[in-house]
Amino acid sequence: MAGKLQGIFTPTLVPLDARGEINESELRRFLAWLIEKGVHGLYPNGSTGEFTRLSLEERRRIVKISCEVAQGKVPVLAGAAEANVRDTLAACEAYAGYGAVAVAIVSPFYYRLSPDSVYAYFAEIAKHSPIDVTLYNIPMFASPIDVRTIQRLAADCPRIIGIKDSTGDLSFMMRMIAAVRPIRPDFTFLTGWDVVLTPMMLAGCDGGTNASSNVVPELMRQVYDLTKAGHYQQAMQLHTRILELFDAMLLPFEFPDGFRCGAAMRGFDFGRGRQPMTAAQQVDRAALEKVLRCILSDCGVVDPPASGCAPRGGSVQQDRIAQLALEIVGELEQRGVICTKR
Amino acid sequence: MAGKLQGIFTPTLVPLDARGEINESELRRFLAWLIEKGVHGLYPNGSTGEFTRLSLEERRRIVKISCEVAQGKVPVLAGAAEANVRDTLAACEAYAGYGAVAVAIVSPFYYRLSPDSVYAYFAEIAKHSPIDVTLYNIPMFASPIDVRTIQRLAADCPRIIGIKDSTGDLSFMMRMIAAVRPIRPDFTFLTGWDVVLTPMMLAGCDGGTNASSNVVPELMRQVYDLTKAGHYQQAMQLHTRILELFDAMLLPFEFPDGFRCGAAMRGFDFGRGRQPMTAAQQVDRAALEKVLRCILSDCGVVDPPASGCAPRGGSVQQDRIAQLALEIVGELEQRGVICTKR
Amino acid sequence: MAGKLQGIFTPTLVPLDARGEINESELRRFLAWLIEKGVHGLYPNGSTGEFTRLSLEERRRIVKISCEVAQGKVPVLAGAAEANVRDTLAACEAYAGYGAVAVAIVSPFYYRLSPDSVYAYFAEIAKHSPIDVTLYNIPMFASPIDVRTIQRLAADCPRIIGIKDSTGDLSFMMRMIAAVRPIRPDFTFLTGWDVVLTPMMLAGCDGGTNASSNVVPELMRQVYDLTKAGHYQQAMQLHTRILELFDAMLLPFEFPDGFRCGAAMRGFDFGRGRQPMTAAQQVDRAALEKVLRCILSDCGVVDPPASGCAPRGGSVQQDRIAQLALEIVGELEQRGVICTKR
Amino acid sequence: MAGKLQGIFTPTLVPLDARGEINESELRRFLAWLIEKGVHGLYPNGSTGEFTRLSLEERRRIVKISCEVAQGKVPVLAGAAEANVRDTLAACEAYAGYGAVAVAIVSPFYYRLSPDSVYAYFAEIAKHSPIDVTLYNIPMFASPIDVRTIQRLAADCPRIIGIKDSTGDLSFMMRMIAAVRPIRPDFTFLTGWDVVLTPMMLAGCDGGTNASSNVVPELMRQVYDLTKAGHYQQAMQLHTRILELFDAMLLPFEFPDGFRCGAAMRGFDFGRGRQPMTAAQQVDRAALEKVLRCILSDCGVVDPPASGCAPRGGSVQQDRIAQLALEIVGELEQRGVICTKR
């Protein structure tokens, strides 16, 4: 590949149609819009793209579409993790053929593996991959990749060219960079934690793969540009706004459902996700939409809601009354006091 | 289905051939041996069966083979979790057709879902499944299923007939049984924690899906029979022996590699697992084989090693010198003091 | 000392008067009642006794009182952990003088120490203590003591004669016993997890230090006697009842406030604890009292409430409506919709 | 008090003499040196000051000495947490009398309390305290104080004027500031995580209470001044050096022993800490001294070791050979192969 990965790589959401199938035309329209809004690259099959809820064939189809829409205008970093080394390598081969610039491979998940096993897994893939590989560290969901293991992989495997880290831990980022840069100046560091992109870049990080860039690609791009130009304080002011948006989409919902909701407000039909929701969760989603509309209209990217917005006093505010009322109803039902079902 | 699930259900290991493919003839021979040794049922596609490292097609093939070998002599409880509800329901349909008595479905993994989402997921599957469903709770690897959620699912979904719990937490088992038995006397409780089967049964549990029964099926059966007959103290004495074996296979290795090693000693060719190993891990495995042979010969199921066995003084003893020596070598290499690679 | 520690050691609660001082006369009356109800020993200054909320002088006074009430009729195991080794040794000396049979020392807390440091701490104390020492393992609150460290301490320190483990993890108990009994047949194992005393004893445990024995000493004694006599199933039936009581006192409250509430129902004035409570928490406590009275009257130790008891359907049931209502009120207040304060 | 707390507050270490008593003359000399080197304030009785290993009387003596040495040249923020609310309030009163500008009170520890109880605890103290109070959040060791609770306390209690947060979590800091600044512009935010002071300040934080400032007060001051002046990149370069030092003192040792070792190199006799050490730990400490001397001489604050320094290649490097050799010796001893004791 030519040049280092840097900038904002959007871990793209996947629109589904009424039958729950990939909505290809909407996906193409969405990806083109992201590129137009200024993101530096596409990153299909990440956690935001719910790769674990797709079939192997669907994951391929999504990368193929992404490469077609990107057409070399922006690079595609393709999530390529499959059930085992052999299937992963087959995906690497396919994605190289489609024109992806590199693949991202999440650390083994379900089983929590030791550092030695994490090393063996990535070393084996790197040995045979026909395309550059970036590690993907997300200890919340998958086996952690520790600093020593990253250092060993960087030293031993030229095919491994970078890491995407989703911990949001700035000290960890600094430790990684201190351990790897001296031996691999070309190594790329990307952060998956949207709200601290500026400090991460100040610490030496090359950019981010940020779920929020599905919803406000122009803002994430602006944060990146301001930071790159050394305007750290202005960038941090934007971060405060992004934090409010991020928390509203992240905290009260199953990831990435709040982000699907936010991206839909930008004019795309994302349909319903594949994880079923209870009635209470659907009520919450309606409440989110109103809050999101208020935040997004503050950001100047959508119109405010007709009913107006309450003044907001911090990032932790959220509508709890509806939820509490539903809990009471559930409680009364369970005791047989009332009956709302059927 | 006729009658409640009870007894020892072996979460079957999968033999692989030299190319890493399912070794079908060895699998058939192994399953037949387990049945002959007295296990009450087969449980393919569990965590021990490394279902996440297989393809969708491989998982189907394994259930088909298991049903063919079982031939109605013992029930097959088939692991049916796929990437999403639709694919899972397709697997349920297929497994019903093969003759499985029920399916086991692990709680959603990778993403850690809230109790409400776990409820919605299982309720949706139960609504459409053509075959009885057992929940599979393994919070170490997947979203936890809490007592209240189990109670709600048991109350709302007649298709859900039981739960396999792998926490090994006796208080949790007692809480589940206290919450569910009064409303669903038919509900089955199985434990996945081998070393406390007897106390779990004393608390009301119906049996176990125990990885150790791949290695010492006759001992696990004996523990079950002794417990069932009320000979708790004799059963606990056997447990002490099983604990030593279990810890030797579990603690120093990535699960289920130590169990593959143990089962191989019973005369089956399991090949190498799909997760790559470092050189150091392969050395450890050789050390394990010797320890296992000693424990298994004490149990009377294999011959002792030619070189004899050291006296053992507790369950935490393990060979550490080889490991430490290797760590030193690695440390010296990293500093450039010595060089052992190629 | 003469003979091994065994049986039910009550980790005694501390009654406080209206000014928040130790209510000495009530404490004496309470301790005498416990002995009369059949507990095998007293264990002042445990977690249930809130030793961290007392001053050094208060801890001494409580042990002195306990020894005076016990008068050699039952042994006193005195919690002796102080801020550092020197102060702890001074407490050991004092407690030996008061007539305690042994001291219990919790693993260092606040800082989470490594196994080596935990070893060094206990080894240093054991070297100088004039009285037998039991280790106290409660990883929820203090540095964990792992199996290897227990084994090393048992091997190296004759002064250390046992361990109280509050994990409730049966596998851990089995591992400890397997590692220590062969080298120290005299070593005592006590469990601090009330609801699994019978299985723990089946695994070789000598008894328990159970918070519930402050509330239902006669039931805990009965469980112990039934288990000792080999009537495991009858003992387990009692455990189901104790589990309901235990969870009602443990889950919705700060430990040990629910137990203070339960013990008060047996006719003692415990006063208010030293940890302040919010208004909402005080409402919860009133709800608990009604539930406890129902459970305790089922156990035959108190009269049922005048208003009668709802039928109970499992151990997780608890009154949530009052709590939810209060949350709503709080939510509305926070938004400035209503104002209840002042 | 006059003006907001800001800048570097050193959480001061405590020198001990050969008998393990507070070495008062050395403490006075050390505190005076810190002030001379430019720290903005003193913070006795923090975690770095090992307040839990001191007696109540010793904690008072240390605050008194600190106030005497500070003499109003720099403010003293005095750690005032005691066993219960009453004793804590008595300490607050005493410290106000000594001339402390405010007290810092750690969240309740040992028991892990719910947000409501944490609120009740601090609200009760704030209601009666004669001196301004800062909250101290260190979830690694004590009950966490969540954003909502901080917001409630800031809104309800004018006596509470700030928080020291030791999580090192930048997102958490941003959430706190977003939730509290709008309602309490005067509220102070200090970070206890040395290596990210600059990004924390960029996010709005007022300064830090940093253990490293015991060892390199001039460097921490320089980082603060550079950041304050908007020279973020230069400040980050210093952070890389501080990270190396910090990790060398933090990772291989029990906190704060590595920091005691580092501060001793600046010419003070800290003596041995109160937590006993094994022989292996004492060997490690000797290795640390050499590494520290190399890092500190790079920083220009001490002379390099006579034997010279190896080139360093990252922050995770540390001497492991000695440790591994000792582990082998321990292993061989445990098997009875060799005997080194006595």
Side-chain angles (χ1 to χ4, degrees):
Chain A
M1 60 160 290
K4 206 178 187 180
L5 299 178
Q6 49 190 349
I8 304 294
F9 280 74
T10 303
T12 47
L13 290 162
V14 179
L16 300 175
D17 66 20
R19 289 162 311 142
E21 304 287 345
I22 295 169
N23 185 336
E24 180 168 334
S25 61
E26 202 66 358
L27 176 56
R28 287 180 182 274
R29 199 167 69 86
F30 177 61
L31 298 178
W33 175 79
L34 288 173
I35 295 169
E36 186 207 313
K37 289 290 178 188
V39 303
H40 299 91
L42 302 179
Y43 170 30
N45 292 340
S47 300
T48 316
E50 295 178 81
F51 73 101
T52 59
R53 290 173 181 148
L54 302 169
S55 70
L56 183 148
E57 293 75 23
E58 287 173 326
R59 284 187 286 267
R60 296 213 173 184
R61 190 174 157 209
I62 287 168
V63 174
K64 192 154 182 288
I65 292 170
S66 301
C67 290
E68 287 170 8
V69 175
Q71 274 179 42
K73 280 177 291 189
V74 299
V76 173
L77 172 62
E82 297 293 341
N84 51 62
V85 170
R86 196 187 45 188
D87 291 357
T88 297
L89 286 173
C92 290
E93 208 146 318
Y95 299 167
Y98 297 157
V101 73
V103 293
I105 298 181
V106 69
S107 187
F109 54 93
Y110 193 71
Y111 307 101
R112 302 293 277 192
L113 301 186
S114 68
D116 263 8
S117 295
V118 169
Y119 174 85
Y121 176 77
F122 283 117
E124 181 74 12
I125 288 171
K127 202 168 156 187
H128 301 288
S129 174
I131 182 171
D132 282 345
V133 172
T134 58
L135 311 173
Y136 177 10
N137 185 39
I138 183 166
M140 197 173 24
F141 296 155
S143 304
I145 321 182
D146 63 19
V147 174
R148 177 67 185 276
T149 300
I150 296 163
Q151 197 184 33
R152 286 174 69 194
L153 288 167
D156 297 350
C157 310
R159 256 304 180 211
I160 297 179
I161 57 144
I163 185 162
K164 175 206 168 166
D165 175 68
S166 288
T167 61
D169 181 340
L170 192 53
S171 310
F172 183 75
M173 180 62 77
M174 290 168 70
R175 286 182 182 121
M176 279 198 293
I177 291 177
V180 172
R181 279 266 158 86
I183 54 170
R184 284 284 302 273
D186 64 306
F187 213 79
T188 287
F189 297 88
L190 301 172
T191 177
W193 202 243
D194 310 32
V195 299
V196 292
L197 177 61
T198 294
M200 287 284 182
M201 287 175 66
L202 188 54
C205 190
D206 301 290
T209 62
N210 309 107
S212 302
S213 66
N214 282 283
V215 181
V216 285
E218 54 279 80
L219 284 194
M220 288 307 302
R221 174 65 192 259
Q222 206 181 334
V223 166
Y224 178 83
D225 290 343
L226 283 168
T227 308
K228 205 71 186 163
H231 300 132
Y232 300 112
Q233 287 186 317
Q234 284 169 265
M236 282 309 284
Q237 275 155 24
L238 270 185
H239 267 305
T240 302
R241 184 157 280 179
I242 289 167
L243 175 66
E244 188 187 5
L245 180 67
F246 184 75
D247 282 356
M249 297 189 294
L250 184 73
L251 300 183
F253 296 91
E254 301 297 358
F255 183 80
D257 201 54
F259 292 82
R260 293 174 64 86
C261 187
M265 286 192 185
R266 300 305 301 272
F268 299 92
D269 179 7
F270 274 90
R272 290 187 48 173
R274 287 185 170 177
Q275 162 63 31
M277 282 190 281
T278 62
Q281 289 175 319
Q282 290 172 39
V283 170
D284 293 350
R285 207 174 187 278
L288 170 67
E289 276 174 30
K290 185 154 182 263
V291 173
L292 278 191
R293 184 161 293 282
C294 291
I295 303 176
L296 288 172
S297 65
D298 270 10
C299 298
V301 298
V302 305
D303 292 328
S307 54
C309 292
R312 293 190 305 280
S315 66
V316 289
Q317 214 81 336
Q318 31 169 293
D319 212 300
R320 284 276 299 151
I321 300 291
Q323 269 181 289
L324 289 169
L326 276 163
E327 275 190 60
I328 289 185
V329 170
E331 204 55 43
L332 292 171
E333 273 185 348
Q334 221 222 348
R335 299 176 190 196
V337 176
I338 61 171
C339 180
T340 65
K341 282 181 209 154
R342 256 128 309 157
Chain B
M1 61 159 289
K4 208 179 188 180
L5 298 178
Q6 49 190 348
I8 305 295
F9 281 74
T10 303
T12 47
L13 291 162
V14 179
L16 300 175
D17 66 20
R19 289 162 311 142
E21 305 287 345
I22 296 169
N23 185 336
E24 181 167 336
S25 60
E26 202 67 357
L27 176 57
R28 287 181 183 273
R29 199 167 69 87
F30 177 60
L31 299 177
W33 176 79
L34 288 172
I35 295 169
E36 185 207 313
K37 289 290 178 188
V39 304
H40 299 91
L42 301 180
Y43 170 29
N45 292 339
S47 300
T48 315
E50 295 178 81
F51 72 101
T52 60
R53 291 172 180 148
L54 302 169
S55 70
L56 183 148
E57 293 75 23
E58 287 173 326
R59 283 188 286 268
R60 295 214 173 183
R61 190 173 157 208
I62 287 168
V63 174
K64 192 155 182 285
I65 291 170
S66 301
C67 289
E68 287 170 8
V69 175
Q71 276 181 42
K73 280 176 292 189
V74 299
V76 173
L77 173 63
E82 296 294 341
N84 51 62
V85 169
R86 196 187 44 187
D87 290 358
T88 297
L89 286 173
C92 289
E93 208 147 317
Y95 300 166
Y98 298 156
V101 74
V103 293
I105 297 180
V106 70
S107 188
F109 54 93
Y110 192 72
Y111 307 101
R112 303 292 278 192
L113 301 185
S114 67
D116 262 8
S117 294
V118 168
Y119 173 85
Y121 176 78
F122 282 117
E124 181 74 13
I125 288 171
K127 202 168 156 185
H128 302 288
S129 173
I131 182 172
D132 282 344
V133 172
T134 58
L135 312 172
Y136 176 10
N137 185 39
I138 183 165
M140 196 171 26
F141 296 153
S143 305
I145 321 181
D146 63 18
V147 173
R148 178 66 185 276
T149 300
I150 296 163
Q151 196 184 34
R152 286 175 68 196
L153 288 167
D156 297 350
C157 312
R159 255 304 179 210
I160 298 179
I161 56 144
I163 186 162
K164 175 206 167 166
D165 174 69
S166 288
T167 61
D169 180 340
L170 192 53
S171 310
F172 183 75
M173 179 63 76
M174 290 167 71
R175 285 180 183 122
M176 280 198 292
I177 292 177
V180 173
R181 279 266 158 87
I183 55 171
R184 284 283 301 273
D186 63 307
F187 213 78
T188 287
F189 297 89
L190 301 172
T191 178
W193 203 242
D194 309 33
V195 300
V196 292
L197 177 61
T198 294
M200 289 285 182
M201 288 175 66
L202 189 54
C205 190
D206 301 292
T209 63
N210 309 107
S212 303
S213 66
N214 282 282
V215 181
V216 284
E218 55 278 80
L219 284 195
M220 288 307 301
R221 174 65 192 259
Q222 205 181 336
V223 166
Y224 179 83
D225 289 344
L226 284 169
T227 309
K228 206 70 187 164
H231 300 131
Y232 300 112
Q233 288 187 316
Q234 283 170 265
M236 282 308 284
Q237 276 155 23
L238 269 185
H239 267 304
T240 302
R241 184 157 281 180
I242 289 167
L243 175 66
E244 188 186 6
L245 180 66
F246 184 75
D247 281 356
M249 295 189 295
L250 185 73
L251 301 182
F253 296 91
E254 302 296 358
F255 183 79
D257 201 55
F259 292 83
R260 293 175 64 86
C261 186
M265 286 192 185
R266 300 305 301 272
F268 299 92
D269 179 7
F270 274 90
R272 291 186 49 171
R274 286 185 171 177
Q275 162 63 31
M277 283 191 280
T278 62
Q281 289 175 318
Q282 291 172 38
V283 171
D284 292 351
R285 207 173 187 277
L288 169 67
E289 276 174 31
K290 184 152 182 266
V291 172
L292 278 191
R293 183 161 294 280
C294 291
I295 302 176
L296 288 172
S297 64
D298 270 11
C299 298
V301 297
V302 305
D303 292 328
S307 55
C309 293
R312 294 190 304 281
S315 65
V316 289
Q317 214 80 335
Q318 31 168 292
D319 212 299
R320 283 276 300 151
I321 299 292
Q323 267 181 291
L324 289 169
L326 276 163
E327 275 191 60
I328 288 185
V329 170
E331 205 52 45
L332 292 172
E333 271 184 347
Q334 221 224 347
R335 300 176 188 194
V337 177
I338 61 171
C339 180
T340 66
K341 281 180 210 155
R342 256 125 310 153
Chain C
M1 60 160 289
K4 208 178 186 179
L5 299 177
Q6 49 191 348
I8 304 294
F9 280 74
T10 302
T12 47
L13 290 161
V14 179
L16 300 175
D17 65 21
R19 290 162 309 139
E21 306 286 344
I22 295 170
N23 186 335
E24 181 168 335
S25 61
E26 202 67 357
L27 176 57
R28 287 181 182 273
R29 200 168 68 87
F30 177 60
L31 298 178
W33 175 79
L34 288 173
I35 295 169
E36 184 206 314
K37 288 292 178 186
V39 304
H40 299 92
L42 302 180
Y43 170 30
N45 292 341
S47 300
T48 314
E50 296 177 81
F51 72 101
T52 60
R53 291 173 180 147
L54 301 169
S55 69
L56 184 147
E57 293 74 23
E58 287 173 326
R59 284 187 286 268
R60 296 215 174 183
R61 188 172 160 213
I62 287 168
V63 175
K64 191 154 183 287
I65 292 170
S66 301
C67 288
E68 287 169 9
V69 176
Q71 276 178 34
K73 280 177 293 188
V74 299
V76 173
L77 172 63
E82 296 294 340
N84 51 61
V85 169
R86 196 188 43 189
D87 290 357
T88 297
L89 286 172
C92 290
E93 209 146 318
Y95 300 167
Y98 299 156
V101 73
V103 293
I105 297 181
V106 69
S107 188
F109 54 94
Y110 193 71
Y111 307 100
R112 303 294 277 192
L113 301 186
S114 68
D116 261 10
S117 295
V118 169
Y119 173 85
Y121 176 77
F122 283 117
E124 181 74 13
I125 289 171
K127 203 168 155 185
H128 301 288
S129 173
I131 182 172
D132 282 343
V133 172
T134 58
L135 312 172
Y136 176 10
N137 185 40
I138 184 164
M140 198 172 24
F141 296 154
S143 304
I145 321 181
D146 64 18
V147 174
R148 178 66 186 276
T149 300
I150 297 163
Q151 197 185 33
R152 286 174 68 194
L153 288 167
D156 298 350
C157 311
R159 256 304 180 210
I160 298 179
I161 57 143
I163 185 163
K164 176 207 168 167
D165 175 69
S166 287
T167 62
D169 180 340
L170 192 53
S171 310
F172 182 75
M173 180 61 76
M174 290 167 70
R175 286 182 181 120
M176 281 198 293
I177 292 177
V180 173
R181 280 265 157 87
I183 54 171
R184 285 284 300 273
D186 63 307
F187 212 79
T188 287
F189 297 89
L190 301 172
T191 177
W193 203 242
D194 310 32
V195 299
V196 291
L197 176 63
T198 294
M200 288 284 183
M201 287 175 66
L202 189 53
C205 190
D206 301 291
T209 63
N210 309 107
S212 302
S213 66
N214 282 283
V215 182
V216 284
E218 55 278 79
L219 284 195
M220 288 308 300
R221 172 66 192 258
Q222 204 181 337
V223 166
Y224 179 82
D225 290 343
L226 283 169
T227 308
K228 205 72 186 163
H231 300 132
Y232 300 112
Q233 289 187 315
Q234 283 170 263
M236 282 308 284
Q237 275 155 24
L238 269 185
H239 267 303
T240 302
R241 184 158 281 179
I242 289 167
L243 175 66
E244 189 186 4
L245 179 67
F246 184 75
D247 282 356
M249 296 189 295
L250 184 72
L251 301 182
F253 296 90
E254 302 297 357
F255 184 80
D257 201 55
F259 291 83
R260 293 173 66 86
C261 187
M265 287 192 184
R266 300 306 301 272
F268 298 92
D269 179 6
F270 275 89
R272 290 187 51 171
R274 288 186 170 177
Q275 161 63 32
M277 283 191 279
T278 63
Q281 290 175 318
Q282 291 172 38
V283 170
D284 293 351
R285 207 172 187 278
L288 170 67
E289 276 175 31
K290 180 149 186 269
V291 173
L292 278 190
R293 182 161 295 280
C294 290
I295 302 176
L296 288 173
S297 65
D298 270 11
C299 297
V301 298
V302 306
D303 292 328
S307 55
C309 293
R312 294 191 305 279
S315 65
V316 290
Q317 214 82 336
Q318 32 168 292
D319 212 298
R320 283 275 299 150
I321 299 292
Q323 268 181 291
L324 288 169
L326 276 163
E327 276 190 59
I328 288 185
V329 169
E331 205 53 44
L332 292 171
E333 273 185 345
Q334 219 222 350
R335 298 176 191 196
V337 178
I338 61 172
C339 180
T340 65
K341 281 181 213 154
R342 260 129 306 159
Chain D
M1 59 160 292
K4 207 179 187 179
L5 299 178
Q6 49 191 348
I8 304 294
F9 280 73
T10 303
T12 47
L13 291 162
V14 179
L16 300 175
D17 65 21
R19 290 162 310 142
E21 305 287 344
I22 296 170
N23 185 336
E24 182 168 333
S25 61
E26 202 66 359
L27 177 57
R28 287 180 182 273
R29 199 167 69 87
F30 177 61
L31 298 178
W33 175 80
L34 288 172
I35 295 169
E36 184 207 314
K37 289 290 177 187
V39 303
H40 300 91
L42 301 181
Y43 170 30
N45 291 341
S47 299
T48 314
E50 296 177 83
F51 73 102
T52 59
R53 291 173 180 148
L54 302 168
S55 70
L56 184 148
E57 293 75 22
E58 288 173 326
R59 283 188 287 268
R60 295 215 173 183
R61 188 172 160 212
I62 287 168
V63 174
K64 192 155 183 286
I65 292 170
S66 302
C67 290
E68 287 170 8
V69 176
Q71 274 179 33
K73 280 177 292 188
V74 299
V76 173
L77 172 62
E82 296 294 340
N84 52 62
V85 169
R86 195 188 45 189
D87 290 356
T88 297
L89 286 172
C92 290
E93 208 147 318
Y95 299 167
Y98 298 157
V101 73
V103 293
I105 298 182
V106 69
S107 187
F109 54 93
Y110 192 71
Y111 306 101
R112 303 293 278 192
L113 300 186
S114 68
D116 262 9
S117 294
V118 169
Y119 173 86
Y121 176 77
F122 283 117
E124 181 74 13
I125 289 171
K127 202 169 156 186
H128 302 287
S129 174
I131 182 172
D132 282 345
V133 172
T134 58
L135 311 173
Y136 177 10
N137 185 38
I138 183 164
M140 197 173 24
F141 296 154
S143 304
I145 321 181
D146 64 18
V147 173
R148 178 67 185 276
T149 300
I150 297 163
Q151 197 184 33
R152 286 174 68 194
L153 288 167
D156 297 350
C157 310
R159 256 302 181 212
I160 298 180
I161 57 143
I163 185 163
K164 176 208 168 166
D165 175 68
S166 288
T167 62
D169 180 341
L170 191 52
S171 311
F172 183 75
M173 180 62 75
M174 291 168 69
R175 286 183 182 120
M176 280 198 294
I177 292 176
V180 172
R181 279 265 157 87
I183 53 171
R184 284 284 301 274
D186 64 307
F187 213 78
T188 288
F189 297 88
L190 301 172
T191 177
W193 202 242
D194 311 32
V195 299
V196 293
L197 177 62
T198 293
M200 287 285 182
M201 286 174 67
L202 189 54
C205 191
D206 301 290
T209 62
N210 309 108
S212 301
S213 66
N214 282 283
V215 182
V216 284
E218 55 279 81
L219 283 195
M220 288 308 301
R221 173 65 192 258
Q222 205 181 335
V223 166
Y224 179 82
D225 289 343
L226 284 168
T227 308
K228 206 70 186 164
H231 300 133
Y232 300 112
Q233 288 186 318
Q234 283 170 263
M236 282 308 284
Q237 275 156 24
L238 270 185
H239 267 304
T240 302
R241 183 158 280 179
I242 289 167
L243 176 65
E244 189 187 4
L245 180 67
F246 184 74
D247 281 357
M249 296 188 296
L250 184 72
L251 301 182
F253 296 90
E254 301 298 356
F255 183 79
D257 201 54
F259 292 83
R260 292 174 65 85
C261 186
M265 287 192 185
R266 298 307 300 273
F268 299 92
D269 179 7
F270 274 89
R272 292 187 50 172
R274 287 187 169 176
Q275 162 62 32
M277 282 191 279
T278 62
Q281 289 175 320
Q282 292 172 37
V283 171
D284 292 351
R285 207 171 186 279
L288 171 67
E289 276 174 29
K290 182 150 185 266
V291 172
L292 278 191
R293 183 160 293 281
C294 291
I295 302 176
L296 288 172
S297 64
D298 269 10
C299 298
V301 297
V302 304
D303 293 328
S307 55
C309 292
R312 293 191 305 280
S315 66
V316 289
Q317 215 81 335
Q318 30 168 294
D319 212 299
R320 284 276 298 151
I321 300 290
Q323 268 182 290
L324 289 169
L326 276 163
E327 275 191 59
I328 288 185
V329 170
E331 204 54 45
L332 292 171
E333 273 185 347
Q334 219 221 350
R335 298 176 191 196
V337 177
I338 60 171
C339 181
T340 64
K341 282 182 212 154
R342 254 127 308 156

